[in-house]
Amino acid sequence: MNVPLGEGAEFDRIRTIADALGADARNLGDDCAVLRISDTSVVVSTDASVEHVHFERNWLDLEEIGYRATAAALSDLAGQAAAARGVLVAVAAPESSSADDLASVMRGAGAAARASGTQVLGGDLSRGGEWMLCATVIGVADCPVARRGATAGDGVWVTGALGGARAALEAFRAGRAPDAAARQRFAAPSPRIAAGQWLAAHGAHAMLDLSDGIASDAGHLAAASGVEVEIVLEELPVHPSAVEAALDARGEPVIFAAKGGEDYELLVAMPSSFGMESAAAFERAMDLTLSRIGSCHHGHGVRLLFRGSRLTLKGFNHFS
Amino acid sequence: MNVPLGEGAEFDRIRTIADALGADARNLGDDCAVLRISDTSVVVSTDASVEHVHFERNWLDLEEIGYRATAAALSDLAGQAAAARGVLVAVAAPESSSADDLASVMRGAGAAARASGTQVLGGDLSRGGEWMLCATVIGVADCPVARRGATAGDGVWVTGALGGARAALEAFRAGRAPDAAARQRFAAPSPRIAAGQWLAAHGAHAMLDLSDGIASDAGHLAAASGVEVEIVLEELPVHPSAVEAALDARGEPVIFAAKGGEDYELLVAMPSSFGMESAAAFERAMDLTLSRIGSCHHGHGVRLLFRGSRLTLKGFNHFS
């Protein structure tokens, strides 16, 4: 089966799975399952958050762990231009945890659902050796946008600013407390649900949310759409905490931001007619920046340009 | 918030969660989330399977682990009289596992999806300290049936035979190989999707799938419907492997079966007009037995009768 994903060990695993499943699978490359029900597309996505892999207990409190896991899943709906209609949360909780601990996790999940205009509709509880949350989100889209659909000539845009979550993650891993703005980006991502719908209504050709890092995620868009995505790294909008973290480490802020994952901003291919005036309208309507960072061309893969030269970067990958 | 579940520590946790969530949650008692889209009910459920909690690696191979986790989730759709439309599988895999191991798990998930007439539409991959699968199932129902809706006078019926999965589980736990029929019941449950739809079309008032054991699950139906459910244990259909296991341990087969979980048969309240002739029609159409085991009355809770006396049983519970 052809799985239109970019390069990387995690995506190689998905290709191996798709081969093993054969006709028992469909559209494994996308983040979401999309079902057509009457005139509506129902979009469903599931996202696991595992202790020691996605978070440590001494980084976040349990309510934040619930919030973050749920918001990360809701971000998949944003990438499809869907509105959120419900959340289910399966939790495996260690033996040592209490009923109040579980309630804290779920309170965070509920707050994340509320922030996206929806509710927790169910879930599943189990014991486990470590904390693990699996958030499933359900949305509906009148005109869903997928990763495929970009064409040569499209502009490539990104919402918000990148690298803030990485700045927090690096501080946590070094045993330091991240600054408040970076911590907020890591602990409480904002699924760009309204932004996704706005962009779809204004002609988005292809879209996805940024979870693995811009190089990796742009690779998925390129593979699914059958185009080459060129990104001019100098154009990347960098989160202030990421600028600071990069300069502290004598690095380039845009490269620091490009290598960060879990920003949960939207990467979108807009037709060439979508220009700076349209972007200004987006920014006024959404109170969120929209930056043009590149363009789509005939070809395949991702071309990252920095100071006029081509650069190769790797994003975060659980299986590398 | 009122959560209409029976007694038990696991259900107390759900009540604590519902209190913590307040308006951020809706209908937490049911196994499934039901969304109304145009004229169709979209039913979504999520189910976690955790190594050392739900299974051990030396009991089942990885393909069986994937099959079982997916079939258990699909069974939730059967309980709502929904047809399966898709499966998403999130997997956390230990560091020591290979791409082939993951492919085996997913091959099992794909086979379970196929057996219920559907496909794997997506998922999520992560590292984890132990194997954990979270299967999310999506279904559609023209006339969904919930746990609420039973009324005094209804007959209480159960599909298939009970206790087979418990016979396998007890053998595994004792370090013995279960007999082939019991092993099959444990490793490859049959979600009763077609049976659920047949029963709904023939007037089912309330229904759910049996995962926690008959006493516990009947308690949910009683609590959701606001009735007392009386079950005559002598009427329980007992799986041959369970009869053997019970007699080996000098126990009563019907009590052994009543205390077993994970049978994934359907428990259903049918109107009093549904009699033995209707049951025979079900059995012919579905090639599956349907046994009348009790009735609904004014009151609340579950009354288990054995040799004319009242009996108290506890089902399996992850938090007891």
Side-chain angles (χ1 to χ4, degrees), chain A residues 274-307:
Chain A
F274 188 94
M276 288 305 162
E277 228 167 275
S278 308
F282 172 94
E283 296 189 344
R284 280 193 304 275
M286 294 290 124
D287 193 22
L288 178 67
T289 60
L290 183 67
S291 310
R292 186 180 163 125
I293 60 167
S295 48
C296 297
H297 303 274
H298 295 291
H300 65 273
V302 179
R303 177 190 293 265
L304 297 175
L305 297 178
F306 183 59
R307 294 181 183 156

PDB file of all heavy atoms in Angstrom, chain A residues 274-307:
ATOM      1  N   PHE A 274      -3.621  33.961  -2.464  1.00  0.00           N
ATOM      2  CA  PHE A 274      -3.691  34.307  -1.039  1.00  0.00           C
ATOM      3  C   PHE A 274      -2.408  35.064  -0.690  1.00  0.00           C
ATOM      4  O   PHE A 274      -1.325  34.471  -0.645  1.00  0.00           O
ATOM      5  CB  PHE A 274      -3.835  33.039  -0.202  1.00  0.00           C
ATOM      6  CG  PHE A 274      -4.105  33.280   1.271  1.00  0.00           C
ATOM      7  CD1 PHE A 274      -5.403  33.311   1.762  1.00  0.00           C
ATOM      8  CD2 PHE A 274      -3.050  33.479   2.157  1.00  0.00           C
ATOM      9  CE1 PHE A 274      -5.648  33.522   3.116  1.00  0.00           C
ATOM     10  CE2 PHE A 274      -3.293  33.693   3.509  1.00  0.00           C
ATOM     11  CZ  PHE A 274      -4.590  33.708   3.992  1.00  0.00           C
ATOM     12  N   GLY A 275      -2.529  36.367  -0.458  1.00  0.00           N
ATOM     13  CA  GLY A 275      -1.334  37.187  -0.246  1.00  0.00           C
ATOM     14  C   GLY A 275      -1.314  37.842   1.119  1.00  0.00           C
ATOM     15  O   GLY A 275      -2.028  37.425   2.045  1.00  0.00           O
ATOM     16  N   MET A 276      -0.516  38.870   1.232  1.00  0.00           N
ATOM     17  CA  MET A 276      -0.320  39.521   2.521  1.00  0.00           C
ATOM     18  C   MET A 276      -1.603  40.165   3.057  1.00  0.00           C
ATOM     19  O   MET A 276      -1.820  40.212   4.261  1.00  0.00           O
ATOM     20  CB  MET A 276       0.789  40.578   2.411  1.00  0.00           C
ATOM     21  CG  MET A 276       2.180  39.959   2.272  1.00  0.00           C
ATOM     22  SD  MET A 276       2.546  38.799   3.646  1.00  0.00           S
ATOM     23  CE  MET A 276       3.917  37.868   2.943  1.00  0.00           C
ATOM     24  N   GLU A 277      -2.451  40.640   2.121  1.00  0.00           N
ATOM     25  CA  GLU A 277      -3.691  41.260   2.577  1.00  0.00           C
ATOM     26  C   GLU A 277      -4.620  40.209   3.201  1.00  0.00           C
ATOM     27  O   GLU A 277      -5.251  40.450   4.233  1.00  0.00           O
ATOM     28  CB  GLU A 277      -4.404  41.896   1.381  1.00  0.00           C
ATOM     29  CG  GLU A 277      -4.867  43.312   1.624  1.00  0.00           C
ATOM     30  CD  GLU A 277      -5.275  43.967   0.311  1.00  0.00           C
ATOM     31  OE1 GLU A 277      -4.379  44.503  -0.391  1.00  0.00           O
ATOM     32  OE2 GLU A 277      -6.465  43.878  -0.016  1.00  0.00           O
ATOM     33  N   SER A 278      -4.664  39.046   2.576  1.00  0.00           N
ATOM     34  CA  SER A 278      -5.472  37.949   3.123  1.00  0.00           C
ATOM     35  C   SER A 278      -4.914  37.529   4.476  1.00  0.00           C
ATOM     36  O   SER A 278      -5.671  37.245   5.419  1.00  0.00           O
ATOM     37  CB  SER A 278      -5.450  36.752   2.174  1.00  0.00           C
ATOM     38  OG  SER A 278      -5.794  37.139   0.869  1.00  0.00           O
ATOM     39  N   ALA A 279      -3.583  37.479   4.586  1.00  0.00           N
ATOM     40  CA  ALA A 279      -2.964  37.090   5.853  1.00  0.00           C
ATOM     41  C   ALA A 279      -3.315  38.100   6.948  1.00  0.00           C
ATOM     42  O   ALA A 279      -3.566  37.726   8.101  1.00  0.00           O
ATOM     43  CB  ALA A 279      -1.451  36.971   5.696  1.00  0.00           C
ATOM     44  N   ALA A 280      -3.349  39.376   6.569  1.00  0.00           N
ATOM     45  CA  ALA A 280      -3.709  40.405   7.553  1.00  0.00           C
ATOM     46  C   ALA A 280      -5.155  40.212   8.015  1.00  0.00           C
ATOM     47  O   ALA A 280      -5.469  40.393   9.201  1.00  0.00           O
ATOM     48  CB  ALA A 280      -3.510  41.796   6.952  1.00  0.00           C
ATOM     49  N   ALA A 281      -6.023  39.801   7.095  1.00  0.00           N
ATOM     50  CA  ALA A 281      -7.426  39.541   7.470  1.00  0.00           C
ATOM     51  C   ALA A 281      -7.509  38.361   8.439  1.00  0.00           C
ATOM     52  O   ALA A 281      -8.261  38.393   9.422  1.00  0.00           O
ATOM     53  CB  ALA A 281      -8.257  39.259   6.217  1.00  0.00           C
ATOM     54  N   PHE A 282      -6.694  37.328   8.172  1.00  0.00           N
ATOM     55  CA  PHE A 282      -6.624  36.184   9.092  1.00  0.00           C
ATOM     56  C   PHE A 282      -6.186  36.647  10.483  1.00  0.00           C
ATOM     57  O   PHE A 282      -6.789  36.296  11.490  1.00  0.00           O
ATOM     58  CB  PHE A 282      -5.638  35.144   8.561  1.00  0.00           C
ATOM     59  CG  PHE A 282      -5.337  34.013   9.538  1.00  0.00           C
ATOM     60  CD1 PHE A 282      -6.060  32.824   9.486  1.00  0.00           C
ATOM     61  CD2 PHE A 282      -4.359  34.139  10.518  1.00  0.00           C
ATOM     62  CE1 PHE A 282      -5.799  31.790  10.382  1.00  0.00           C
ATOM     63  CE2 PHE A 282      -4.096  33.107  11.424  1.00  0.00           C
ATOM     64  CZ  PHE A 282      -4.810  31.934  11.348  1.00  0.00           C
ATOM     65  N   GLU A 283      -5.145  37.453  10.506  1.00  0.00           N
ATOM     66  CA  GLU A 283      -4.580  37.869  11.801  1.00  0.00           C
ATOM     67  C   GLU A 283      -5.578  38.694  12.601  1.00  0.00           C
ATOM     68  O   GLU A 283      -5.687  38.533  13.818  1.00  0.00           O
ATOM     69  CB  GLU A 283      -3.268  38.632  11.575  1.00  0.00           C
ATOM     70  CG  GLU A 283      -2.200  37.729  10.939  1.00  0.00           C
ATOM     71  CD  GLU A 283      -0.810  38.354  10.881  1.00  0.00           C
ATOM     72  OE1 GLU A 283      -0.697  39.588  11.037  1.00  0.00           O
ATOM     73  OE2 GLU A 283       0.158  37.586  10.675  1.00  0.00           O
ATOM     74  N   ARG A 284      -6.339  39.551  11.905  1.00  0.00           N
ATOM     75  CA  ARG A 284      -7.355  40.345  12.605  1.00  0.00           C
ATOM     76  C   ARG A 284      -8.466  39.432  13.127  1.00  0.00           C
ATOM     77  O   ARG A 284      -8.915  39.557  14.260  1.00  0.00           O
ATOM     78  CB  ARG A 284      -7.971  41.387  11.659  1.00  0.00           C
ATOM     79  CG  ARG A 284      -7.121  42.636  11.465  1.00  0.00           C
ATOM     80  CD  ARG A 284      -7.922  43.750  10.784  1.00  0.00           C
ATOM     81  NE  ARG A 284      -8.503  43.324   9.496  1.00  0.00           N
ATOM     82  CZ  ARG A 284      -7.854  43.343   8.328  1.00  0.00           C
ATOM     83  NH1 ARG A 284      -6.611  43.768   8.269  1.00  0.00           N
ATOM     84  NH2 ARG A 284      -8.461  42.951   7.219  1.00  0.00           N
ATOM     85  N   ALA A 285      -8.889  38.477  12.310  1.00  0.00           N
ATOM     86  CA  ALA A 285     -10.024  37.626  12.693  1.00  0.00           C
ATOM     87  C   ALA A 285      -9.646  36.650  13.802  1.00  0.00           C
ATOM     88  O   ALA A 285     -10.462  36.343  14.677  1.00  0.00           O
ATOM     89  CB  ALA A 285     -10.536  36.862  11.480  1.00  0.00           C
ATOM     90  N   MET A 286      -8.408  36.161  13.769  1.00  0.00           N
ATOM     91  CA  MET A 286      -8.021  35.070  14.670  1.00  0.00           C
ATOM     92  C   MET A 286      -7.156  35.542  15.840  1.00  0.00           C
ATOM     93  O   MET A 286      -6.875  34.775  16.748  1.00  0.00           O
ATOM     94  CB  MET A 286      -7.225  34.006  13.889  1.00  0.00           C
ATOM     95  CG  MET A 286      -8.025  33.283  12.827  1.00  0.00           C
ATOM     96  SD  MET A 286      -9.259  32.201  13.589  1.00  0.00           S
ATOM     97  CE  MET A 286     -10.737  32.839  12.799  1.00  0.00           C
ATOM     98  N   ASP A 287      -6.679  36.772  15.793  1.00  0.00           N
ATOM     99  CA  ASP A 287      -5.739  37.274  16.798  1.00  0.00           C
ATOM    100  C   ASP A 287      -4.534  36.327  16.909  1.00  0.00           C
ATOM    101  O   ASP A 287      -4.137  35.900  17.996  1.00  0.00           O
ATOM    102  CB  ASP A 287      -6.441  37.427  18.151  1.00  0.00           C
ATOM    103  CG  ASP A 287      -5.590  38.233  19.135  1.00  0.00           C
ATOM    104  OD1 ASP A 287      -4.714  38.983  18.666  1.00  0.00           O
ATOM    105  OD2 ASP A 287      -5.806  38.096  20.356  1.00  0.00           O
ATOM    106  N   LEU A 288      -3.993  36.000  15.745  1.00  0.00           N
ATOM    107  CA  LEU A 288      -2.912  35.009  15.643  1.00  0.00           C
ATOM    108  C   LEU A 288      -2.134  35.355  14.375  1.00  0.00           C
ATOM    109  O   LEU A 288      -2.737  35.701  13.369  1.00  0.00           O
ATOM    110  CB  LEU A 288      -3.552  33.615  15.510  1.00  0.00           C
ATOM    111  CG  LEU A 288      -2.646  32.395  15.344  1.00  0.00           C
ATOM    112  CD1 LEU A 288      -1.840  32.159  16.626  1.00  0.00           C
ATOM    113  CD2 LEU A 288      -3.497  31.152  15.046  1.00  0.00           C
ATOM    114  N   THR A 289      -0.799  35.255  14.454  1.00  0.00           N
ATOM    115  CA  THR A 289      -0.020  35.599  13.258  1.00  0.00           C
ATOM    116  C   THR A 289      -0.110  34.487  12.209  1.00  0.00           C
ATOM    117  O   THR A 289      -0.376  33.324  12.525  1.00  0.00           O
ATOM    118  CB  THR A 289       1.467  35.830  13.599  1.00  0.00           C
ATOM    119  OG1 THR A 289       1.992  34.634  14.167  1.00  0.00           O
ATOM    120  CG2 THR A 289       1.632  36.983  14.589  1.00  0.00           C
ATOM    121  N   LEU A 290       0.089  34.876  10.954  1.00  0.00           N
ATOM    122  CA  LEU A 290       0.156  33.919   9.844  1.00  0.00           C
ATOM    123  C   LEU A 290       1.324  34.359   8.973  1.00  0.00           C
ATOM    124  O   LEU A 290       1.324  35.472   8.443  1.00  0.00           O
ATOM    125  CB  LEU A 290      -1.151  33.927   9.047  1.00  0.00           C
ATOM    126  CG  LEU A 290      -1.227  32.908   7.906  1.00  0.00           C
ATOM    127  CD1 LEU A 290      -1.237  31.484   8.443  1.00  0.00           C
ATOM    128  CD2 LEU A 290      -2.482  33.144   7.059  1.00  0.00           C
ATOM    129  N   SER A 291       2.340  33.483   8.861  1.00  0.00           N
ATOM    130  CA  SER A 291       3.579  33.871   8.179  1.00  0.00           C
ATOM    131  C   SER A 291       3.805  33.012   6.939  1.00  0.00           C
ATOM    132  O   SER A 291       3.693  31.783   6.999  1.00  0.00           O
ATOM    133  CB  SER A 291       4.780  33.660   9.117  1.00  0.00           C
ATOM    134  OG  SER A 291       4.535  34.266  10.376  1.00  0.00           O
ATOM    135  N   ARG A 292       4.183  33.666   5.867  1.00  0.00           N
ATOM    136  CA  ARG A 292       4.533  32.923   4.655  1.00  0.00           C
ATOM    137  C   ARG A 292       5.990  32.474   4.781  1.00  0.00           C
ATOM    138  O   ARG A 292       6.882  33.286   4.967  1.00  0.00           O
ATOM    139  CB  ARG A 292       4.366  33.806   3.421  1.00  0.00           C
ATOM    140  CG  ARG A 292       4.575  33.012   2.156  1.00  0.00           C
ATOM    141  CD  ARG A 292       4.414  33.829   0.883  1.00  0.00           C
ATOM    142  NE  ARG A 292       5.011  33.078  -0.187  1.00  0.00           N
ATOM    143  CZ  ARG A 292       4.400  32.730  -1.318  1.00  0.00           C
ATOM    144  NH1 ARG A 292       3.177  33.127  -1.556  1.00  0.00           N
ATOM    145  NH2 ARG A 292       5.020  32.006  -2.222  1.00  0.00           N
ATOM    146  N   ILE A 293       6.210  31.165   4.714  1.00  0.00           N
ATOM    147  CA  ILE A 293       7.556  30.643   4.940  1.00  0.00           C
ATOM    148  C   ILE A 293       8.108  29.903   3.727  1.00  0.00           C
ATOM    149  O   ILE A 293       9.239  29.441   3.759  1.00  0.00           O
ATOM    150  CB  ILE A 293       7.590  29.696   6.167  1.00  0.00           C
ATOM    151  CG1 ILE A 293       6.650  28.503   5.964  1.00  0.00           C
ATOM    152  CG2 ILE A 293       7.231  30.454   7.445  1.00  0.00           C
ATOM    153  CD1 ILE A 293       6.854  27.377   6.970  1.00  0.00           C
ATOM    154  N   GLY A 294       7.327  29.776   2.690  1.00  0.00           N
ATOM    155  CA  GLY A 294       7.852  29.055   1.539  1.00  0.00           C
ATOM    156  C   GLY A 294       6.812  28.866   0.464  1.00  0.00           C
ATOM    157  O   GLY A 294       5.796  29.567   0.429  1.00  0.00           O
ATOM    158  N   SER A 295       7.055  27.869  -0.412  1.00  0.00           N
ATOM    159  CA  SER A 295       6.176  27.669  -1.558  1.00  0.00           C
ATOM    160  C   SER A 295       6.278  26.230  -2.065  1.00  0.00           C
ATOM    161  O   SER A 295       7.208  25.496  -1.710  1.00  0.00           O
ATOM    162  CB  SER A 295       6.563  28.647  -2.676  1.00  0.00           C
ATOM    163  OG  SER A 295       7.963  28.610  -2.872  1.00  0.00           O
ATOM    164  N   CYS A 296       5.315  25.851  -2.862  1.00  0.00           N
ATOM    165  CA  CYS A 296       5.278  24.493  -3.432  1.00  0.00           C
ATOM    166  C   CYS A 296       5.739  24.528  -4.891  1.00  0.00           C
ATOM    167  O   CYS A 296       5.424  25.469  -5.620  1.00  0.00           O
ATOM    168  CB  CYS A 296       3.858  23.928  -3.372  1.00  0.00           C
ATOM    169  SG  CYS A 296       3.246  23.727  -1.701  1.00  0.00           S
ATOM    170  N   HIS A 297       6.459  23.499  -5.285  1.00  0.00           N
ATOM    171  CA  HIS A 297       7.007  23.411  -6.640  1.00  0.00           C
ATOM    172  C   HIS A 297       6.792  22.009  -7.196  1.00  0.00           C
ATOM    173  O   HIS A 297       6.525  21.077  -6.444  1.00  0.00           O
ATOM    174  CB  HIS A 297       8.507  23.718  -6.613  1.00  0.00           C
ATOM    175  CG  HIS A 297       8.808  25.051  -6.025  1.00  0.00           C
ATOM    176  ND1 HIS A 297       8.795  26.216  -6.758  1.00  0.00           N
ATOM    177  CD2 HIS A 297       9.087  25.414  -4.748  1.00  0.00           C
ATOM    178  CE1 HIS A 297       9.064  27.238  -5.966  1.00  0.00           C
ATOM    179  NE2 HIS A 297       9.255  26.788  -4.733  1.00  0.00           N
ATOM    180  N   HIS A 298       6.960  21.857  -8.507  1.00  0.00           N
ATOM    181  CA  HIS A 298       6.986  20.517  -9.086  1.00  0.00           C
ATOM    182  C   HIS A 298       8.170  19.773  -8.480  1.00  0.00           C
ATOM    183  O   HIS A 298       9.243  20.342  -8.306  1.00  0.00           O
ATOM    184  CB  HIS A 298       7.142  20.596 -10.613  1.00  0.00           C
ATOM    185  CG  HIS A 298       5.965  21.246 -11.279  1.00  0.00           C
ATOM    186  ND1 HIS A 298       4.721  20.640 -11.329  1.00  0.00           N
ATOM    187  CD2 HIS A 298       5.816  22.451 -11.884  1.00  0.00           C
ATOM    188  CE1 HIS A 298       3.873  21.444 -11.948  1.00  0.00           C
ATOM    189  NE2 HIS A 298       4.510  22.553 -12.292  1.00  0.00           N
ATOM    190  N   GLY A 299       7.979  18.517  -8.157  1.00  0.00           N
ATOM    191  CA  GLY A 299       9.067  17.734  -7.568  1.00  0.00           C
ATOM    192  C   GLY A 299       8.558  16.987  -6.358  1.00  0.00           C
ATOM    193  O   GLY A 299       7.362  16.701  -6.235  1.00  0.00           O
ATOM    194  N   HIS A 300       9.478  16.633  -5.464  1.00  0.00           N
ATOM    195  CA  HIS A 300       9.055  15.931  -4.249  1.00  0.00           C
ATOM    196  C   HIS A 300      10.029  16.244  -3.115  1.00  0.00           C
ATOM    197  O   HIS A 300      11.147  16.714  -3.345  1.00  0.00           O
ATOM    198  CB  HIS A 300       8.973  14.428  -4.502  1.00  0.00           C
ATOM    199  CG  HIS A 300      10.289  13.807  -4.802  1.00  0.00           C
ATOM    200  ND1 HIS A 300      10.814  13.757  -6.078  1.00  0.00           N
ATOM    201  CD2 HIS A 300      11.216  13.248  -3.991  1.00  0.00           C
ATOM    202  CE1 HIS A 300      11.991  13.180  -6.050  1.00  0.00           C
ATOM    203  NE2 HIS A 300      12.271  12.860  -4.799  1.00  0.00           N
ATOM    204  N   GLY A 301       9.593  15.981  -1.907  1.00  0.00           N
ATOM    205  CA  GLY A 301      10.434  16.188  -0.739  1.00  0.00           C
ATOM    206  C   GLY A 301      10.427  17.634  -0.268  1.00  0.00           C
ATOM    207  O   GLY A 301       9.653  18.463  -0.755  1.00  0.00           O
ATOM    208  N   VAL A 302      11.278  17.906   0.708  1.00  0.00           N
ATOM    209  CA  VAL A 302      11.337  19.233   1.319  1.00  0.00           C
ATOM    210  C   VAL A 302      12.704  19.837   1.026  1.00  0.00           C
ATOM    211  O   VAL A 302      13.724  19.160   1.173  1.00  0.00           O
ATOM    212  CB  VAL A 302      11.122  19.139   2.853  1.00  0.00           C
ATOM    213  CG1 VAL A 302      11.219  20.521   3.493  1.00  0.00           C
ATOM    214  CG2 VAL A 302       9.781  18.501   3.157  1.00  0.00           C
ATOM    215  N   ARG A 303      12.720  21.078   0.600  1.00  0.00           N
ATOM    216  CA  ARG A 303      13.980  21.812   0.397  1.00  0.00           C
ATOM    217  C   ARG A 303      14.010  22.928   1.433  1.00  0.00           C
ATOM    218  O   ARG A 303      13.214  23.866   1.381  1.00  0.00           O
ATOM    219  CB  ARG A 303      14.012  22.391  -1.012  1.00  0.00           C
ATOM    220  CG  ARG A 303      15.241  23.253  -1.326  1.00  0.00           C
ATOM    221  CD  ARG A 303      15.064  23.975  -2.659  1.00  0.00           C
ATOM    222  NE  ARG A 303      15.041  23.051  -3.760  1.00  0.00           N
ATOM    223  CZ  ARG A 303      16.126  22.733  -4.504  1.00  0.00           C
ATOM    224  NH1 ARG A 303      17.289  23.288  -4.237  1.00  0.00           N
ATOM    225  NH2 ARG A 303      16.013  21.882  -5.496  1.00  0.00           N
ATOM    226  N   LEU A 304      14.918  22.789   2.409  1.00  0.00           N
ATOM    227  CA  LEU A 304      15.067  23.829   3.427  1.00  0.00           C
ATOM    228  C   LEU A 304      16.211  24.739   3.008  1.00  0.00           C
ATOM    229  O   LEU A 304      17.329  24.269   2.765  1.00  0.00           O
ATOM    230  CB  LEU A 304      15.412  23.194   4.784  1.00  0.00           C
ATOM    231  CG  LEU A 304      14.372  22.263   5.400  1.00  0.00           C
ATOM    232  CD1 LEU A 304      14.925  21.638   6.674  1.00  0.00           C
ATOM    233  CD2 LEU A 304      13.068  23.005   5.698  1.00  0.00           C
ATOM    234  N   LEU A 305      15.934  26.024   2.923  1.00  0.00           N
ATOM    235  CA  LEU A 305      16.968  26.984   2.539  1.00  0.00           C
ATOM    236  C   LEU A 305      17.352  27.840   3.748  1.00  0.00           C
ATOM    237  O   LEU A 305      16.487  28.309   4.493  1.00  0.00           O
ATOM    238  CB  LEU A 305      16.460  27.891   1.417  1.00  0.00           C
ATOM    239  CG  LEU A 305      16.129  27.174   0.108  1.00  0.00           C
ATOM    240  CD1 LEU A 305      15.582  28.164  -0.912  1.00  0.00           C
ATOM    241  CD2 LEU A 305      17.367  26.449  -0.435  1.00  0.00           C
ATOM    242  N   PHE A 306      18.653  28.000   3.958  1.00  0.00           N
ATOM    243  CA  PHE A 306      19.134  28.869   5.023  1.00  0.00           C
ATOM    244  C   PHE A 306      20.322  29.646   4.467  1.00  0.00           C
ATOM    245  O   PHE A 306      21.302  29.053   4.020  1.00  0.00           O
ATOM    246  CB  PHE A 306      19.549  28.034   6.245  1.00  0.00           C
ATOM    247  CG  PHE A 306      19.983  28.871   7.404  1.00  0.00           C
ATOM    248  CD1 PHE A 306      19.121  29.802   7.981  1.00  0.00           C
ATOM    249  CD2 PHE A 306      21.263  28.738   7.924  1.00  0.00           C
ATOM    250  CE1 PHE A 306      19.527  30.574   9.061  1.00  0.00           C
ATOM    251  CE2 PHE A 306      21.669  29.502   9.010  1.00  0.00           C
ATOM    252  CZ  PHE A 306      20.802  30.428   9.572  1.00  0.00           C
ATOM    253  N   ARG A 307      20.198  30.966   4.455  1.00  0.00           N
ATOM    254  CA  ARG A 307      21.217  31.835   3.852  1.00  0.00           C
ATOM    255  C   ARG A 307      21.551  31.392   2.418  1.00  0.00           C
ATOM    256  O   ARG A 307      22.711  31.306   2.025  1.00  0.00           O
ATOM    257  CB  ARG A 307      22.473  31.849   4.713  1.00  0.00           C
ATOM    258  CG  ARG A 307      22.200  32.499   6.073  1.00  0.00           C
ATOM    259  CD  ARG A 307      23.411  32.548   6.952  1.00  0.00           C
ATOM    260  NE  ARG A 307      23.053  33.121   8.246  1.00  0.00           N
ATOM    261  CZ  ARG A 307      23.710  32.908   9.382  1.00  0.00           C
ATOM    262  NH1 ARG A 307      24.779  32.117   9.380  1.00  0.00           N
ATOM    263  NH2 ARG A 307      23.319  33.466  10.501  1.00  0.00           N
TER     264      ARG A 307
END
